[in-house]
Amino acid sequence: MAADRTPKIVGTVWGLLVLNTLGSAGAKTIVPLPRSLIQMVTMGALVAAFALALALNLRLRIRPSAFLLLLTLLLVPSVISSADLESGFGALFRCARLALFVGTLWLLSRWWDGGLTFVRHHIRMYFAVLGSVAAGLAISPGAALPELYGGRLVGALWPLTPPQIGQYAAVIIGLTVLLVLGRRTDRGSAAVVIVPSLVLLALTHTRTATLGLLIGLALAIGSLVLTSAAARRFFAWSVLCATVAAVAFSSALRAWFLRGQSQENFSNLTGRAKVWDALLAAPRTTSEHLFGAGLGDKSFGGLPIDNSWLAVYQEQGMTGVALVAAVVVVLGGVALLRPPSLSRACAIFLISYCAIASYTEAGLGDASPYLLHLAVAASLLAASAAPPPSAPEVPRRRVPLRSRRTEVT
């Protein structure tokens, strides 16, 4: 299949997918938005994304992808567990949403060629989301830093929680840093993205996003150290600055990470461990163990699960856990087998970030920003669709006419 130039409208489709995954629950906004209206907008965005992707790819030309195949197989336990309506009709609705989401990614896979096109779309769209957060902070600092969330930054124009904002900021910071190291963007443009995103990340006090950013960048830059002098310099300076900061600002960093919590509350992950223990101790039938209880709102007993693996176990059972684990393992394995490159480094950052965040955030088993991050990683790891260069023609050796004559004896 010959490589196609990516149409500009693909960026619009990606933006609609980002809008769909923003969710409808979060902090109180300056202008109250009914949840039904937000859900209508997000679902309408997904339907529009699928329709546009289909219009762009009417011949249904898709690229073979183990990542998308595994996501498609994930629909099987989702539908099986949701069909008995134990979780209500909302479970079937969520199955339809996941199917439409995966279908849109299949249609876009035609333009997955190992390039940085989708990385740039990803950065632009999430930077626009962060722009709305910054606008809300400027318009109403009290609404953007409410006491209900301990003074942490939330979305005042669109209901976004601190972990969401921290995730978006960390991801685009990491990708932009890698683009600078790969000389695919200038430092001025990068600073416009990185500096305000760092400020917003700090205001969210999101530990998972911060650790994911630092560890993900370390792994990604480490994959470039042997082939990039810029990566070696950046890595050396980063280690030096981190060491100085850890020594000089240890108390301030500790206070930032604790967020005013007691040591006990910090050790049990702000109460998450209690929910996890209760979920694992709950009795289950064989069907629930294998296929889960159906797609829900990622909660147990009215409390958020905040762990991708336990959320998948609760909703899609051990079958879902195995498929999600296969997604991470396959993408990670392919990334390790690829030769060093900027695309590979970006993919390693996204995969490692999602793996780290999966411990305290849910989303790997349903339509979510985490699946979009992994979809970008899959696009970066796709082999180029360009046909291999043809072998140079070997010149024919001239044979003297006398040698061609048949000798008669």
Side-chain angles (χ1 to χ4, degrees):
M1 182 172 61
D4 297 319
R5 177 174 296 179
T6 306
K8 292 184 178 180
I9 199 69
V10 168
T12 303
V13 176
W14 199 256
L16 291 170
L17 289 178
V18 169
L19 176 58
N20 173 254
T21 58
L22 291 182
S24 58
K28 293 182 179 180
T29 55
I30 299 173
V31 178
L33 299 174
R35 188 173 182 181
S36 57
L37 174 63
I38 298 175
Q39 291 175 332
M40 187 182 303
V41 171
T42 54
M43 276 307 301
L46 179 57
V47 173
F50 180 80
L52 283 176
L54 185 60
L56 289 172
N57 194 1
L58 284 175
R59 295 185 179 181
L60 301 182
R61 294 170 62 185
I62 60 176
R63 175 181 292 277
S65 169
F67 166 72
L68 291 178
L69 176 61
L70 290 169
L71 288 188
T72 305
L73 292 176
L74 188 62
L75 284 168
V76 176
S78 303
V79 173
I80 291 176
S81 59
S82 302
D84 60 3
L85 302 181
E86 181 180 341
S87 300
F89 285 99
L92 291 178
F93 177 80
R94 292 183 178 92
C95 287
R97 175 180 177 241
L98 179 59
L100 208 59
F101 184 86
V102 175
T104 305
L105 293 180
W106 271 117
L107 293 171
L108 293 180
S109 67
R110 170 181 177 177
W111 295 283
W112 292 3
D113 58 1
L116 299 171
T117 300
F118 286 90
V119 170
R120 298 186 185 278
H121 289 323
H122 214 52
I123 293 173
R124 292 190 191 105
M125 298 310 165
Y126 280 117
F127 187 66
V129 175
L130 293 181
S132 71
V133 175
L137 177 62
I139 295 171
S140 178
L145 300 167
E147 288 299 326
L148 179 63
Y149 283 86
R152 300 170 66 192
L153 181 65
V154 300
L157 299 181
W158 185 277
L160 297 173
T161 61
Q164 284 180 281
I165 300 171
Q167 175 197 162
Y168 307 153
V171 166
I172 67 173
I173 289 169
L175 291 176
T176 306
V177 168
L178 292 174
L179 289 182
V180 172
L181 293 179
R183 298 180 179 178
R184 298 301 180 90
T185 188
D186 59 273
R187 295 182 180 181
S189 300
V192 171
V193 174
I194 294 173
V195 173
S197 299
L198 276 173
V199 173
L200 296 181
L201 175 59
L203 290 175
T204 62
H205 282 234
T206 307
R207 296 175 293 225
T208 300
T210 304
L211 290 175
L213 170 63
L214 296 177
I215 298 174
L217 267 182
L219 294 174
I221 296 174
S223 71
L224 293 172
V225 164
L226 296 179
T227 58
S228 170
R232 289 192 292 271
R233 289 193 299 269
F234 185 87
F235 189 81
W237 277 107
S238 298
V239 171
L240 178 61
C241 293
T243 302
V244 172
V247 174
F249 305 103
S250 58
S251 59
L253 291 174
R254 184 174 182 275
W256 187 88
F257 268 89
L258 285 177
R259 296 197 308 236
Q261 299 172 338
S262 64
Q263 192 67 37
E264 180 183 358
N265 198 21
F266 177 75
S267 62
N268 64 25
L269 299 172
T270 322
R272 289 185 177 96
K274 297 179 180 179
V275 179
W276 299 347
D277 292 340
L279 186 151
L280 292 173
R284 299 175 185 276
T285 64
T286 302
S287 176
E288 289 174 340
H289 178 72
L290 291 176
F291 304 112
L295 293 184
D297 58 359
K298 313 298 177 287
S299 67
F300 180 79
L303 297 173
I305 297 174
D306 286 341
N307 180 289
S308 284
W309 305 102
L310 292 179
V312 171
Y313 175 62
Q314 169 70 12
E315 298 182 354
Q316 292 139 315
M318 289 303 300
T319 305
V321 171
L323 289 171
V324 171
V327 166
V328 178
V329 170
V330 166
L331 287 176
V334 173
L336 292 177
L337 293 175
R338 288 281 189 271
S341 67
L342 178 59
S343 293
R344 175 185 183 238
C346 290
I348 289 174
F349 169 75
L350 291 169
I351 297 166
S352 57
Y353 181 90
C354 291
I356 293 166
S358 67
Y359 185 65
T360 57
E361 297 291 336
L364 286 183
D366 204 350
S368 70
Y370 291 105
L371 287 191
L372 284 182
H373 302 334
L374 293 180
V376 174
S379 75
L380 291 165
L381 297 173
S384 175
S390 56
E393 183 179 355
V394 179
R396 298 180 60 185
R397 187 169 60 89
R398 295 178 61 86
V399 180
L401 183 61
R402 288 179 302 174
S403 302
R404 299 180 193 176
R405 296 175 181 173
T406 305
E407 182 177 358
V408 179
T409 57

